């Protein structure tokens, strides 16, 4: 029989394993959304734009750089929240996630939808996988990604709701990506109808999966129905 400390250690390990599975699936969702070519999620819009401008640099690299900026911004907004351990708990997982994104971009090389319907199906599949990844990572509750940590400290400092700050952040990224696309490509590239679909479907699918992923971390007693006498 496991001791309490051993059980706690096992639970921590399990949370990190599930968290990294979620990160890998996030890379899958991002890759599929990009392959659809009809717009990506707000958070991916700016990184995908830079990837189109500088195709010799990997998408994962740009994703890491964006999150590094969020990491720095987090402590500019709230300097007292800084602790060296956050390099390990935030930047290291972010680096691994960037590798997962590049791996998935390679794995999805053969996904080249041609008709609009097939592009839409690929986008929807990517959004659902992305939603599952978020549900797994939230349920694991192992750490926060830099973007989420930044949003959290801004919400705390300003007294705004977390969801409102997230929306404002998404809108800012979309606007920047749109302006950059118009300047460089003289047209809209990464921000299209798929961006709106992704913004809605990722969040909704994450909520659909949440009850299932939460069950991974419930104790056996919580899962066992109480007998009625």
């Amino acid at each position: 029989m496991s001791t309490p400390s051993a059980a706690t250690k096992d639970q921590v390990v399990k949370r990190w394993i599930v968290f990294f599975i979620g990160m890998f699936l996030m890379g899958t969702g991002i890759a599929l959304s990009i392959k659809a070519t009809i717009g990506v999620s707000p958070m991916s819009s700016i990184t995908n734009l830079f990837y189109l401008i500088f195709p010799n640099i990997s998408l994962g690299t740009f994703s890491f750089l964006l999150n590094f900026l969020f990491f720095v911004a987090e402590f500019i907004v709230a300097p007292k929240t800084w602790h060296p351990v956050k390099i390990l708990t935030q930047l290291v997982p972010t680096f691994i996630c960037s590798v997962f994104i590049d791996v998935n971009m390679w794995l999805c090389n053969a996904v080249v939808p041609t008709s609009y319907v097939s592009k839409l199906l690929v986008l929807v599949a990517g959004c659902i996988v992305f939603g599952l990844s978020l549900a797994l990572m939230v349920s694991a509750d192992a750490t926060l990604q830099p973007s989420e940590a930044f949003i959290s400290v801004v919400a705390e400092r300003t007294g705004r709701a977390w969801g409102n700050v997230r929306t404002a952040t998404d809108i800012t990224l979309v606007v920047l990506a749109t302006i950059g696309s118009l300047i460089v490509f003289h047209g809209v590239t990464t921000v299209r109808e798929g961006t709106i679909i992704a913004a809605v479907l990722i969040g909704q699918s994450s909520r659909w999966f949440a009850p299932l992923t939460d069950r991974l971390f419930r104790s056996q007693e919580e899962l066992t129905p109480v007998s009625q006498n």
Side-chain angles (χ1 to χ4, degrees), residues 56 121 138 164 169 193 226:
N56 292 329
L121 290 174
V138 170
N164 292 340
T169 303
E193 65 274 21
V226 177

Side-chain angles (χ1 to χ4, degrees), residues 91-153:
L91 284 187
V92 172
T94 297
F95 174 77
I96 295 173
C97 184
S98 69
V99 173
F100 286 161
I101 291 173
D102 287 340
V103 169
N104 276 284
M105 288 293 288
W106 178 78
L107 291 174
C108 292
N109 262 338
V111 180
V112 186
T114 52
S115 69
Y116 187 80
V117 172
S118 62
K119 291 179 179 181
L120 189 60
L121 290 174
V122 170
L123 175 68
V124 169
C127 291
I128 292 175
V129 173
F130 201 126
L132 173 59
S133 75
L134 288 180
L136 287 168
M137 292 165 69
V138 170
S139 295
D141 193 24
T143 187
L144 289 176
Q145 290 185 297
S147 58
E148 296 172 331
F150 168 75
I151 292 169
S152 295
V153 296

Side-chain angles (χ1 to χ4, degrees), residues 2-20 136 139-143 213-223:
S2 300
T3 63
S5 60
T8 301
K9 182 178 179 181
D10 289 343
Q11 188 74 287
V12 170
V13 171
K14 180 180 179 181
R15 288 184 180 277
W16 278 104
I17 290 174
V18 171
F19 183 82
F20 282 118
L136 287 168
S139 295
D141 193 24
T143 187
T213 56
D214 283 347
R215 289 175 64 88
L216 293 170
F217 301 101
R218 291 180 190 167
S219 65
Q220 189 60 42
E221 290 78 9
E222 290 176 302
L223 294 175

Side-chain angles (χ1 to χ4, degrees), residues 144-198:
L144 289 176
Q145 290 185 297
S147 58
E148 296 172 331
F150 168 75
I151 292 169
S152 295
V153 296
V154 171
E156 184 177 346
R157 290 295 298 269
T158 62
R160 304 288 183 180
W162 193 94
N164 292 340
V165 178
R166 174 59 188 262
T167 299
T169 303
D170 285 346
I171 291 173
T172 301
L173 291 173
V174 167
V175 169
L176 291 175
T178 301
I179 293 172
S181 181
L182 290 171
I183 293 173
V184 177
F185 298 106
H186 307 291
V188 179
T189 54
T190 62
V191 179
R192 286 182 50 183
E193 65 274 21
T195 303
I196 299 174
I197 295 172

Side-chain angles (χ1 to χ4, degrees), residues 28-41 122-123 126-127 130 198:
T28 307
I30 291 172
L32 288 173
S33 298
I34 289 174
K35 291 295 181 179
T37 68
I38 55 173
V40 295
S41 68
V122 170
L123 175 68
C127 291
F130 201 126

